[in-house]
Amino acid sequence: MARPQTDLEAGREHLLDIATAMIEERGNAALTMTELAALAGMSPANLYRYFENKDAVIEAIAGRWFAPKVAIMEEVVASDLPPRRKMYEFYARRFALVRAMWERDPVVFQTYCDVGEEHFEVVRSYVDLGDHHLGEIVAEAMADGHFAGLEIDETISLINQMVAPYVNIGLMAMVMPKLSEDKLARIIDALFDGLSAVDRGARAVTGLRAA
């Protein structure tokens, strides 16, 4: 007889609690299906009713990690804020959330950075989702006359390079004390006030001359 979906979901959540604790205490290498089953007080065969393998567990943990960030992105994109303010909130709210996690335990935070790097193929879908939502904001900004002469994909790429410390958790962990919402706001203002395809004199020349 099939178990009620609510029981399956509750069982999955309980297993994810245990798996998360294992990773936070001892790192990704400590997570094995055999030990997860043992800590959960069930047989490996029963565990596989909930997760088919370790990769499925990692995917579910990633889903937990990114769920509040995805909710923030969706809420901001759906808001009636002007594009400039919308882009700031798009990054600032997620940054504040991640910074709070870092402040609670920098060691555990670094563990998540390591897990994300090791399983980047799982993380990639969330990165792509972020780019999709950023593209929506960029399109609104372009409709208001910003980012003149640039295509949406190029604009997304340029913005990603400039705000990387506020979204790339590995880089964020290295420079966290130097990051702030005020600095982020100045970056966003600089993007809106100056980012375009116009050559203002900074492009490379063919050679250097003595003054």
Side-chain angles (χ1 to χ4, degrees):
M1 182 175 178
R3 297 185 183 187
Q5 187 64 24
T6 52
D7 288 350
L8 286 172
E9 290 172 354
R12 283 173 59 89
E13 290 302 309
H14 177 60
L15 287 165
L16 288 177
D17 288 341
I18 297 172
T20 298
M22 292 171 67
I23 290 175
E24 291 183 356
E25 291 171 5
R26 293 177 286 162
N28 179 49
L31 177 59
T32 67
M33 297 298 277
T34 300
E35 185 166 2
L36 178 57
L39 290 174
M42 63 175 63
S43 68
N46 195 25
L47 173 60
Y48 287 112
R49 294 182 180 181
Y50 297 95
F51 296 101
E52 61 181 350
N53 52 38
K54 178 179 174 178
D55 287 343
V57 177
I58 293 295
E59 288 180 11
I61 291 174
R64 273 190 171 187
W65 168 279
F66 283 104
K69 288 84 169 172
V70 171
I72 287 171
M73 291 191 292
E74 292 176 345
E75 180 182 7
V76 171
V77 169
S79 73
D80 60 358
L81 293 171
R84 184 188 298 246
R85 183 67 187 185
K86 187 175 287 191
M87 188 175 293
Y88 169 76
E89 296 292 340
F90 182 75
Y91 290 108
R93 294 187 183 193
R94 286 182 292 155
F95 166 65
L97 188 67
V98 175
R99 181 182 56 195
M101 298 175 70
W102 176 80
E103 290 173 342
R104 283 196 297 271
D105 195 326
V107 175
V108 168
F109 186 86
Q110 184 59 52
T111 297
Y112 278 109
C113 292
D114 295 341
V115 173
E117 183 176 350
E118 185 172 347
H119 297 276
F120 185 71
E121 70 282 357
V122 176
V123 175
R124 185 183 300 276
S125 63
Y126 295 100
V127 174
D128 291 343
L129 179 61
D131 283 350
H132 169 74
H133 288 314
L134 174 58
E136 294 180 276
I137 299 174
V138 168
E140 290 181 26
M142 285 181 167
D144 286 351
H146 298 285
F147 313 132
L150 295 173
E151 299 294 331
I152 288 182
D153 286 348
E154 183 181 6
T155 306
I156 291 172
S157 178
L158 289 168
I159 292 172
N160 281 338
Q161 291 180 48
M162 286 182 271
V163 301
Y166 291 89
V167 290
N168 182 318
I169 66 169
L171 181 56
M172 196 184 299
M174 296 171 58
V175 297
M176 188 72 80
K178 297 181 179 180
L179 304 178
S180 72
E181 285 88 340
D182 286 343
K183 290 180 179 179
L184 175 61
R186 291 179 184 140
I187 291 170
I188 299 302
D189 278 337
L191 288 171
F192 273 80
D193 292 340
L195 184 60
S196 73
V198 176
D199 179 4
R200 297 185 176 90
R203 291 181 179 171
V205 296
T206 56
L208 299 177
R209 301 184 301 275

